[in-house]
Amino acid sequence: MADERIGIVTMPKWGLSMKTGKIMEWVVAVGDEVEEGDDLAEIDTDKIAGTLESTHAGVVRHIVAEAGSDAPVGCPIAVVAPADVPQAEIDEVVRAAEEQLARGAVDEEDGPRQRTVEVDGRTIAYTTLGDGEDVVVLVHGYGGDKNSWLFVQEPLSQARTVHALDLPGHGDSAKDVGDGSLDGLAGTVLGFLDALGVERAHLVGHSMGGAVVTAAAAAAPQRVRSLTLVSPAGFGPEMDAGYLRGFATAGSRRELRPHLLKLFADEGQVTRRLVDDLLKYKRLDGVDLALKTLLGTLLDGERPAIDALPLLAGAGVPTVVVWGRDDQVIPASNAARLPASTSVHVVDGAGHMAHMETPAAVVAAVEQATGNA
């Protein structure tokens, strides 16, 4: 029997459609010592590139899949173990790993499990990873969906149950947003907890979703253990109204792409696939009305229409905020209005989508928030 301290690094499943991933680069080499959470490799999927983090501590003893190669989801790509594990045992694990990789086996049980629930008469879609006692709920921003959390949901799920939901009007959820009010969206989040039988949860929200989870915490503080806010709307006077309106009205690749470039510090993140996927979403029945209705919730002329600061004070729960230093949509300067009790992290190398560009920083912020609860 192999030493239980031997950790097998596998190709993760970052999304429901992912079957394989390409290893673009190994950040580590054989012989390097790693801790849990250290970067191991750059992985390119059919959606977006991301960094694979280690879930094991020890020494990189063998790299099964070389840089430039493809590996199916669930297949071994490296072996990590303490230095005192005999090489003979490592060799045995490596032989089995190489055989599995050669067979091209795909572990269909890994990755997010997609489900739906009914909340206030609307179908709400969500994905779940993990089965820990603590529950984390991830809430996207305007025009986003549950898949934007791919690189955050997986590492958080190692010790928790993590749900990523689609708000009304987004993703695979019903496109009817009603009046589109902040209270209505917050009610969807609380109704989601009710539908799943979750008494208390840690809420994480991006952009508009940050205001939504703050409103949910203010409405029912007994249901919320902590808040983690990523570039949240509603906490300052600066917001790019042109981006929001441009995203809502763009009907072609040429019109949409310039607005999407504002989301990232690295413009290379705006791939043709990303643009095409968003155009496909925007052309669904009901999306145009949903986005236009939600604009009325987010904007008052050229200024933000939401003031979430009183809501945050009313919630009274541990709160951690992450802001990309290069955020062009909701600038990090808005953080100046947050109360001193709020822990704020301004992250280099990230724009408005810090959970996609620097997911490790967002994971660390959630870890901090949940640890303070």
Side-chain angles (χ1 to χ4, degrees):
M1 180 181 295
D3 193 312
E4 63 181 12
R5 295 177 296 164
I6 298 176
I8 300 176
V9 180
T10 61
M11 178 62 70
K13 185 167 186 176
W14 288 334
L16 296 169
S17 65
M18 182 180 171
K19 300 298 182 184
T20 64
K22 180 183 284 293
I23 301 166
M24 304 303 293
E25 176 188 6
W26 281 101
V27 181
V28 296
V30 172
D32 288 352
E33 291 192 11
V34 295
E35 299 292 336
E36 290 187 27
D38 285 354
D39 293 348
L40 295 181
E42 296 297 328
I43 306 292
D44 191 21
T45 77
D46 62 349
K47 290 287 187 181
I48 195 171
T51 302
L52 175 64
E53 298 178 353
S54 181
T55 56
H56 311 283
V59 176
V60 179
R61 302 293 293 270
H62 191 87
I63 290 177
V64 181
E66 297 297 330
S69 64
D70 293 312
V73 166
C75 274
I77 57 176
V79 178
V80 175
D84 62 349
V85 174
Q87 185 60 40
E89 295 195 32
I90 299 296
D91 292 341
E92 181 180 346
V93 171
V94 168
R95 278 194 296 271
E98 290 176 338
E99 290 176 2
Q100 186 179 357
L101 184 61
R103 291 196 306 270
V106 177
D107 188 350
E108 294 291 352
E109 296 304 316
D110 284 351
R113 303 181 294 278
Q114 178 155 313
R115 299 164 177 165
T116 61
V117 292
E118 292 297 312
V119 178
D120 295 331
R122 297 183 180 92
T123 298
I124 300 299
Y126 67 102
T127 58
T128 300
L129 268 177
D131 57 4
E133 183 176 348
D134 277 359
V135 176
V136 176
V137 177
L138 309 172
V139 182
H140 61 79
Y142 181 76
D145 63 23
K146 58 188 176 298
N147 291 326
S148 66
W149 298 104
L150 291 178
F151 306 133
V152 171
Q153 188 176 15
E154 195 275 335
L156 285 176
S157 70
Q158 299 302 312
R160 304 170 183 84
T161 299
V162 186
H163 305 294
L165 63 81
D166 285 332
L167 289 170
H170 297 78
D172 297 312
S173 288
K175 299 305 180 282
D176 171 28
V177 298
D179 65 1
S181 67
L182 187 62
D183 287 345
L185 295 173
T188 295
V189 173
L190 294 173
F192 176 77
L193 297 182
D194 290 339
L196 269 61
V198 176
E199 284 191 27
R200 300 183 71 206
H202 302 278
L203 301 184
V204 182
H206 168 245
S207 195
M208 179 184 76
V212 171
V213 298
T214 303
Q222 74 280 7
R223 306 292 303 279
V224 180
R225 299 186 63 185
S226 73
L227 290 173
T228 306
L229 311 178
V230 183
S231 291
F235 290 93
E238 297 183 68
M239 176 183 284
D240 188 342
Y243 162 77
L244 293 171
R245 292 198 176 94
F247 179 89
T249 59
S252 68
R253 186 182 296 114
R254 180 180 59 81
E255 292 172 339
L256 182 59
R257 190 172 187 276
H259 297 293
L260 298 183
L261 290 173
K262 294 182 178 182
L263 292 174
F264 300 94
D266 174 13
E267 293 186 352
Q269 297 276 7
V270 183
T271 62
R272 185 183 183 92
R273 177 65 180 267
L274 175 64
V275 178
D276 287 347
D277 283 351
L278 282 169
L279 282 174
K280 184 178 179 181
Y281 153 70
K282 292 181 86 272
R283 290 166 179 163
L284 294 173
D285 288 344
V287 168
D288 182 63
L289 177 59
L291 293 177
K292 289 179 180 177
T293 300
L294 292 171
L295 277 181
T297 297
L298 292 168
L299 292 175
D300 179 9
E302 298 301 307
R303 296 181 59 81
I306 297 172
D307 183 4
L309 279 171
L311 300 175
L312 184 64
V317 300
T319 303
V320 179
V321 178
V322 179
W323 233 300
R325 192 176 299 279
D326 299 321
D327 192 332
Q328 300 179 61
V329 178
I330 304 178
S333 56
N334 287 326
R337 296 185 68 219
L338 289 165
S341 59
T342 304
S343 178
V344 179
H345 304 276
V346 179
V347 182
D348 292 328
H352 191 59
M353 308 295 284
H355 53 308
M356 296 178 70
E357 292 193 278
T358 55
V362 176
V363 170
V366 179
E367 300 274 8
Q368 179 186 349
T370 58
N372 291 339

